[in-house]
Amino acid sequence: MYVRRVEESPAALGKCNEFLRQFHKVSAPIPTPEIEQQLAQHLPALPQPITVAAYENKTIRGAATCWAPIALVAASAKRQGSAHASKIATEWRTLTFMAVDGRHQRKGVGRELVGLLERECRESGALNIFGFAEDLPTPSWPFYSALGYTIHPPGQLLLIGGNSYGQSGNRQGRLFSKSI
């Protein structure tokens, strides 16, 4: 098993998207070009998303992805201007999706994925990572706690660059954050 950053080719990212989609039941875990174009209206130079994957015999067994915090960047640009939005986009990343194949869980694969993701984010200028740990089917926040992330109580908002961030809709889980 080896873990590495995924090349930014449509084919490689498409395979990671498909893997993550199996676990998270969403249509596009990795930002599409259309989403990136919409964001460019608010901030022309967003940091590129970072995707890492664990492979065994060329088959993906785990993947994780981090983006600039899209909603926060857009809200900040509207309320506080593009310079403030640029600071948030540079300093913060949101760990949007992470999954490990059931047969490879509890074997250190997730720890390796998040560790590489943190290093790649730090090298791109990020100082902090946050995310939302879902409770379904089982709570994932203990995993992030074991990696040194602060786990925030249910319903608590994070204040990032003067903007509040919280869970959306009926999602059950907890926010987590860490300075990297």
Side-chain angles (χ1 to χ4, degrees), residues 43 45 47 68-69 73 85-93 121 124-127:
L43 193 66
V73 169
S86 179
K87 182 174 172 45
I88 291 173
T90 300
E91 295 179 359
W92 286 86
R93 297 293 182 281
C121 286
S124 75
L127 303 175

Side-chain angles (χ1 to χ4, degrees), residues 5 8 13 30-33 36 44-51 65-68 89-90 92-94 117 120-121 124 126:
R5 184 169 180 167
E8 293 185 20
L13 291 174
I30 298 170
T32 63
E36 290 179 347
L46 275 174
Q48 289 296 308
I50 296 170
T51 302
T65 187
C66 256
W67 309 349
T90 300
W92 286 86
R93 297 293 182 281
T94 179
L117 202 57
E120 293 284 340
C121 286
S124 75

Side-chain angles (χ1 to χ4, degrees), residues 30 42-43 46 69-70 81 88 104 107 114 119 147 153 160 166:
I30 298 170
H42 301 291
L43 193 66
L46 275 174
I70 295 168
I88 291 173
H104 296 85
K107 296 181 180 178
V114 173
R119 286 190 299 279
L147 297 179
I160 298 174

Side-chain angles (χ1 to χ4, degrees), residues 49-153:
I50 296 170
T51 302
V52 296
Y55 297 89
E56 179 183 62
N57 300 325
K58 298 184 180 181
T59 300
I60 297 173
R61 300 299 184 195
T65 187
C66 256
W67 309 349
I70 295 168
L72 289 173
V73 169
S76 179
K78 287 179 183 175
R79 284 193 293 243
Q80 297 149 311
S82 61
H84 190 74
S86 179
K87 182 174 172 45
I88 291 173
T90 300
E91 295 179 359
W92 286 86
R93 297 293 182 281
T94 179
L95 198 160
T96 51
F97 296 97
M98 209 280 277
V100 175
D101 180 282
R103 294 170 299 184
H104 296 85
Q105 291 178 0
R106 303 196 185 284
K107 296 181 180 178
V109 176
R111 180 179 296 275
E112 283 188 60
L113 287 167
V114 173
L116 178 56
L117 202 57
E118 288 175 355
R119 286 190 299 279
E120 293 284 340
C121 286
R122 200 171 27 251
E123 288 175 14
S124 75
L127 303 175
N128 307 283
I129 293 179
F130 74 97
F132 184 76
E134 303 260 3
D135 278 350
L136 303 171
T138 58
S140 59
W141 63 264
F143 167 76
Y144 294 102
S145 179
L147 297 179
Y149 284 81
T150 299
I151 307 302
H152 303 277

Side-chain angles (χ1 to χ4, degrees), residues 1-67:
M1 178 98 48
Y2 61 97
V3 175
R4 68 175 174 84
R5 184 169 180 167
V6 177
E7 61 189 73
E8 293 185 20
S9 72
L13 291 174
K15 288 179 183 177
C16 283
N17 247 342
E18 187 57 40
F19 178 84
L20 291 167
R21 193 176 295 121
Q22 293 172 18
F23 290 89
H24 292 284
K25 311 295 188 234
V26 295
S27 60
I30 298 170
T32 63
E34 293 80 19
I35 291 172
E36 290 179 347
Q37 285 176 346
Q38 290 172 356
L39 289 170
Q41 296 171 9
H42 301 291
L43 193 66
L46 275 174
Q48 289 296 308
I50 296 170
T51 302
V52 296
Y55 297 89
E56 179 183 62
N57 300 325
K58 298 184 180 181
T59 300
I60 297 173
R61 300 299 184 195
T65 187
C66 256
W67 309 349

